Amino acid sequence: MALPTPPISPLTIPNPNSPSPPSTAASPRATVVLPGLGNNSGDYRGLCWTLRDGYGIPTVVAKVSRLDWFRNAAGLLDSNYWRGTLRPKPVLDWYLERVVEAVSEARKLCPQGGSLALIGHSAGGWLARLYMEEFGWSDISLLITLGTPHLPAPKGLAGVIDQTRGLLDYVEKHCAPAVYTSELKYICIAGRYIRGARFLSNPNSDIIDHIDNNKGASELVITERTVGSAPVAPTMRSRFIGQGYKQVCGKADVWGDGVVPEISAHLDGALNISLDGVYHSPVGSDDTLRPWYGSPSVVQKWINHLLN
């Protein structure tokens, strides 16, 4: 049974009580925020306020409700779902339509001749890549992904099931690779909130390098350290989180934001940034005790890429 379709209208969020944005020599590019899996537009209200009222960045959030995500269940009727070779169309058409609407609204806020930026949270990051492949990127100069699981789950590992049922394989094969050029920049931000652990492991033997240094020279990795990621003995929580990481990257004993492993949130060719103490989602976050990528103190660490 098809779910009713809510009216499609991008979400622009005002905050009349906020101070006037700081003056800048040049108008900042308008920005579109793409929600992650299971999130709704309202989850990004705080991020929108920070960008618009704190930094003067015109911001639009693609209109998505939690019920909308049940539309993806249509993929269960596709034999490719069960083979693990699912393709974006038609399962994700509804989401891409919302992005089209949001981008159209953002263009109206953009200075004449200016470009747009996309900020994709979680699955919104690879959905942004699908949008750019499907509709082009001629007016987009920046893609920032926040805790996005970019890489397909490894094949052939016991207990690892591709949760996207082939969608990330499609993205990897058919979407343009990440770049960092004057025309278009990919910036992939990963959080190091908690280190996962295997269910049966020696706490002294599972320390591994958190970044693959064998990646191409085009990749620049920036890691900002805080006290939030000191090695600790595995707990039941870290073992549970580790099983989630394993479903994404094939390894349990790696750092991540509590949902997405750090190594999965980076792309060859992009400017890759890792931030300690950063949680995955606005849901369940706390700007002081458990900040997420869109908390004001964390935004400060990546906002320069959006302003430049």
Side-chain angles (χ1 to χ4, degrees), residues 70-82 86 91 165:
F70 285 100
R71 298 170 183 272
N72 291 3
L76 294 170
L77 304 177
D78 189 333
S79 61
N80 287 306
Y81 176 93
W82 303 104
L86 192 63
V91 176
R165 306 309 298 150

Side-chain angles (χ1 to χ4, degrees), residues 124-176:
W126 59 261
L127 284 162
R129 297 177 65 195
L130 278 175
Y131 167 82
M132 293 165 67
E133 190 67 26
E134 180 79 12
F135 297 96
W137 56 272
S138 60
D139 57 353
I140 298 170
S141 60
L142 176 65
L143 170 61
I144 296 177
T145 65
L146 307 174
T148 292
H150 284 291
L151 308 179
K155 305 294 189 295
L157 289 183
V160 175
I161 300 174
D162 177 11
Q163 300 174 64
T164 71
R165 306 309 298 150
L167 290 173
L168 280 178
D169 283 309
Y170 181 94
V171 171
E172 186 172 62
K173 293 175 183 176
H174 297 280
C175 291

Side-chain angles (χ1 to χ4, degrees), residues 47-278:
L47 172 60
C48 187
W49 284 346
T50 299
L51 296 179
R52 190 184 74 85
D53 299 329
Y55 297 97
I57 298 172
T59 305
V60 176
V61 184
K63 182 68 174 179
V64 174
S65 72
R66 296 198 207 284
L67 285 177
D68 282 327
W69 292 103
F70 285 100
R71 298 170 183 272
N72 291 3
L76 294 170
L77 304 177
D78 189 333
S79 61
N80 287 306
Y81 176 93
W82 303 104
R83 291 195 294 263
T85 56
L86 192 63
R87 299 170 70 88
K89 299 179 78 67
V91 176
L92 294 174
D93 282 349
W94 70 270
Y95 188 99
L96 296 178
E97 289 170 3
R98 306 299 172 86
V99 180
V100 169
E101 292 289 330
V103 167
S104 177
E105 180 70 17
R107 287 193 184 109
K108 300 174 185 177
L109 305 175
C110 203
Q112 185 174 5
S115 61
L116 301 175
L118 302 182
I119 298 178
H121 168 239
S122 195
W126 59 261
L127 284 162
R129 297 177 65 195
L130 278 175
Y131 167 82
M132 293 165 67
E133 190 67 26
E134 180 79 12
F135 297 96
W137 56 272
S138 60
D139 57 353
I140 298 170
S141 60
L142 176 65
L143 170 61
I144 296 177
T145 65
L146 307 174
T148 292
H150 284 291
L151 308 179
K155 305 294 189 295
L157 289 183
V160 175
I161 300 174
D162 177 11
Q163 300 174 64
T164 71
R165 306 309 298 150
L167 290 173
L168 280 178
D169 283 309
Y170 181 94
V171 171
E172 186 172 62
K173 293 175 183 176
H174 297 280
C175 291
V179 295
Y180 192 81
T181 67
S182 58
E183 293 79 20
L184 178 63
K185 292 179 172 61
Y186 281 60
I187 299 177
C188 301
I189 303 177
R192 289 170 53 91
Y193 178 73
I194 183 171
R195 182 184 176 88
R198 291 169 286 184
F199 268 121
L200 300 174
S201 63
N202 179 347
N204 297 319
S205 66
D206 61 355
I207 304 300
I208 64 170
D209 187 8
H210 73 277
I211 293 176
D212 181 1
N213 290 316
N214 293 321
K215 290 184 177 180
S218 61
E219 179 181 42
L220 173 62
V221 178
I222 301 174
T223 303
E224 300 207 3
R225 302 287 183 186
T226 68
V227 296
S229 64
V232 295
T235 63
M236 184 54 65
R237 182 188 180 204
S238 66
R239 296 178 197 276
F240 177 80
I241 294 293
Q243 293 312 297
Y245 291 165
K246 184 177 178 180
Q247 295 302 311
V248 180
C249 72
K251 296 180 180 180
D253 48 354
V254 294
W255 280 101
D257 60 16
V259 175
V260 175
E262 177 184 23
I263 56 178
S264 298
H266 289 165
L267 278 173
D268 285 345
L271 173 64
N272 291 318
I273 300 173
S274 293
L275 300 176
D276 273 8
V278 176

Side-chain angles (χ1 to χ4, degrees), residues 37-51:
L37 178 65
N39 290 109
N40 66 26
S41 304
D43 293 338
Y44 302 90
R45 184 175 287 109
L47 172 60
C48 187
W49 284 346
T50 299
L51 296 179

